[in-house]
Amino acid sequence: LEELKTSKMNNGQTVDENLVALIAKIGEKITIGKSKTIENSNGVNNHYLHTVVKDNVAKLAVLVSLETKEKSEAVKTFSKQLSMHIAASNPLALETNQIDQDVINKEQELVTEELKNSGKPEEIVNKISLGKMNKFKEENALLTQAWVMEPKKKVKDILQELSIADLKIKEFYRIKIGE
């Protein structure tokens, strides 16, 4: 965040100076909670703003970075649709094995608590728990999520259908005001 605050903006002032001026102008406390820089000069980068308040200011923003040498319209369209998908679906990670272990542990606690008083045999409870956790991981990893534009397909299926050998999702970032 410190690097961002000292960055120069188009008006020649730093982000921090502009922030102070804006606070003085509107009288509201404003803080920068998160920032993200994506570096990928050889691929395709896209951003999507949802619930736009003013020019380039939104309540929800998504950054997507794709690795590919191809710069076709199909890739650009996919990156835009993927950004909108991420805005709507809020994935926690790219793949299931990348979901934060603390998040998985918390979900496991909730599932265990839910099933504890079900009266079912322990073996059945364990199978139900495993199924619920697998579903949780699948629904929260981008590649295994149902594609918003075609829910019968997964994001990884759409990637394959594009038939672009070197196309990969490098990274994504979703940021929402208040988070």
Side-chain angles (χ1 to χ4, degrees), residues 24-74:
K25 181 178 177 181
I26 64 173
E28 292 285 332
K29 181 182 178 196
I30 303 170
T31 57
I32 299 172
K34 294 181 184 178
S35 73
K36 176 72 174 174
T37 302
I38 290 181
E39 295 183 30
N40 181 14
S41 57
N42 297 326
V44 173
N45 300 313
N46 189 55
H47 75 276
Y48 170 69
L49 302 176
H50 189 73
T51 316
V52 176
V53 179
K54 196 178 174 196
D55 298 335
N56 288 323
V57 178
K59 292 184 178 183
L60 174 66
V62 175
L63 299 172
V64 169
S65 182
L66 303 176
E67 280 184 8
T68 183
K69 290 182 180 82
E70 188 165 328
K71 308 285 192 260
S72 68
E73 275 307 308

Side-chain angles (χ1 to χ4, degrees), residues 67-110:
E67 280 184 8
T68 183
K69 290 182 180 82
E70 188 165 328
K71 308 285 192 260
S72 68
E73 275 307 308
V75 171
K76 290 176 185 171
T77 299
F78 173 70
S79 76
K80 183 178 180 182
Q81 289 177 338
L82 183 63
S83 298
M84 290 188 286
H85 171 93
I86 292 165
S89 300
N90 195 14
L92 301 175
L94 183 61
E95 298 184 55
T96 55
N97 63 352
Q98 296 172 333
I99 297 174
D100 187 314
Q101 191 60 46
D102 291 340
V103 172
I104 291 172
N105 293 345
K106 188 170 185 167
E107 184 66 20
Q108 182 67 61
E109 282 177 31
L110 293 171

